[in-house]
Amino acid sequence: MNLLIQGGTIVNADQSFTGDVLCRDGKIVAVGTDLDVPADTEKVDAGGCLVMPGGIDPHTHMQLPFMGTVASDDFYTGTAAGLAGGTTMIIDFVIPNPQQDIMEAYHQWREWSEKSAADYSFHVAITWWDETVRKAMGTLARDYGVNSFKHFMAYKGAIMADDEVLVNSFEEARKLGAICTVHAENGELVYQLQRKILEQGITGPEGHPLSRPPVVEGEAANRAIQIAQVLNVPLYLVHTSCEESLGAITRARQTGQRVYGEVLAGHLMLDDSVYRHPDFATAAAHVMSPPFRPKGHQEALWRGLQSGNLQTTATDHCCFCEPQKAAGKDDFTKIPNGTAGIEDRMHVLWDQGVNLGRLTPNEFVAVTSSNTAKIFNIYPRKGCVQVGADADLVVWDPEKSRTISKDTHHQNIDFNIFEGMTVKGVNIATVSNGKLVYFDGDLRAEKGAGNYVERPTFAPYYGAMEKWADSHQVTPVKR
Ligand code: URQ
Ligand code: ZN
Ligand code: ZN
């Protein structure tokens, strides 16, 4: 089947130009003007619109079993909602329980994700350590296209990785040529602060941000960065939410250390006042970790994106509906952590980023798609409109507006953290694997149409490590 996107302005991270895009069998086969178009070609008029790479969301949790329940958007409904909002690929997470066989967990998530409507891949979380875990990391990197391993420094008593796990896993990842990612919050401090706050009688959602202040994230970010520096492994900090962790990333990058930062659309837009809403359900709906931060952090995060110290945007799409959040009615530590966003990320970023002059359209493409593709080694297959790339595209009308609401979104959740926000600049069409899956409000997502995307490891960093060892060689003192 041929599909022609004609008459648009093609916008990649590095350049923009006028041209048509011809897609066939899931790939882009021609880009330019006066293309040779076969008779049986479906055509989309992109006149007055931009044609950009489909969004990649590097941080989602579809149907995640967590805190005694399961996230309400599954791999089909969640990726379908993403397609409606212009996101054509997700990188989700395999999160083994402590002591659970890593490969067993991996195969479980692969089974769950077969129903995806869009392409998907997995970071694999290292939640415990022994020699079987080390072996599994090698198997995943060599045979299953996993080049990123996640570490939760929070969630004590559940999936928290302590320094022993971090050091062992980071060392193994370097040998494999993989990148490490972290959820950077000091889980021990969170645990102690939660206890103190509950003892003071604060049980409502307002206790959540009090138990995880920015310094708790800053400490963990800095610790992960220093461990990665000593072990010489690339590091990616997910959901950087505050000036403290942004500062740690910025300082590391200024020394040339290979550290990357991700920011969520929610953390760019919302502040911690949401936790003091008089309605429990509304306040609880915003409980995620790290929490939304006091006013001021949001602008710092925008500056992080503009300065290049933060490279990617994501959503941490992890949906829990009101009855699920009610588990924490009398104890905020029991509110399942997570919010939605996959359908709105690109609209919010265009409206508050491009329309307000913070980002150029090319930078928008970089932070919503290309940078993630580059960091996780799938560029230019993904994240670029060029011949040979996957035909994952959005046709973007910068003049069209939409008002975000739980009543009209496709996400399987009864709340929207951007409720009522009117955004200008939305996709009027989404192309996934060369098929028109969304057009002018009509979502044609197909269960199971998504492909698992293998991500090759990077060249192992042996040389760098040995060079470091040599340069620090201390000869034994003869006594
Ligand atoms: O911590 C995460 O990224 C997962 C468990 C989603 N929940 C959240 O609050 N961020
Ligand atoms: Zn997290
Ligand atoms: Zn997450």
Side-chain angles (χ1 to χ4, degrees), residues 80 83-85 343 347 395 400-402 408-410 426-430 436-445:
L83 291 171
E343 186 167 351
H347 300 162
V395 178
K400 188 170 170 63
S401 293
R402 144 177 196 242
T408 53
H409 72 202
H410 296 84
V426 296
N427 54 304
I428 57 168
T430 305
L436 192 59
V437 291
Y438 177 80
F439 185 68
D440 216 11
D442 176 23
L443 181 57
R444 314 163 184 174

Side-chain angles (χ1 to χ4, degrees), residues 5 13 20 25 30 33 74 121 186 191 211 233 246 277 297 303 307 340 386 408 430 449:
I5 312 293
D20 301 340
D25 300 333
T33 52
D74 66 26
S121 191
N186 182 312
Y191 181 75
S211 67
V233 68
L246 172 59
H277 196 287
H297 288 278
R303 288 199 299 273
S307 64
Q386 72 175 38
T408 53
T430 305

Side-chain angles (χ1 to χ4, degrees), residues 309-332:
N309 285 308
L310 296 174
Q311 291 76 32
T312 67
T313 61
T315 62
D316 202 353
H317 188 86
C318 189
C319 301
F320 299 108
C321 295
E322 183 173 344
Q324 295 173 289
K325 292 280 190 174
K329 191 94 181 74
D330 303 316
D331 176 351
F332 67 87

Side-chain angles (χ1 to χ4, degrees), residues 59-61 64 93 95 150 152 155 183 238-239 262 264 288-290 315-318 337:
H59 192 155
T60 62
H61 300 282
L64 174 69
F93 294 83
I95 307 180
K150 172 75 176 289
F152 290 92
Y155 306 125
H183 170 136
V238 306
H239 49 45
E262 171 196 281
L264 305 187
M288 67 156 299
S289 294
T315 62
D316 202 353
H317 188 86
C318 189
N337 283 206

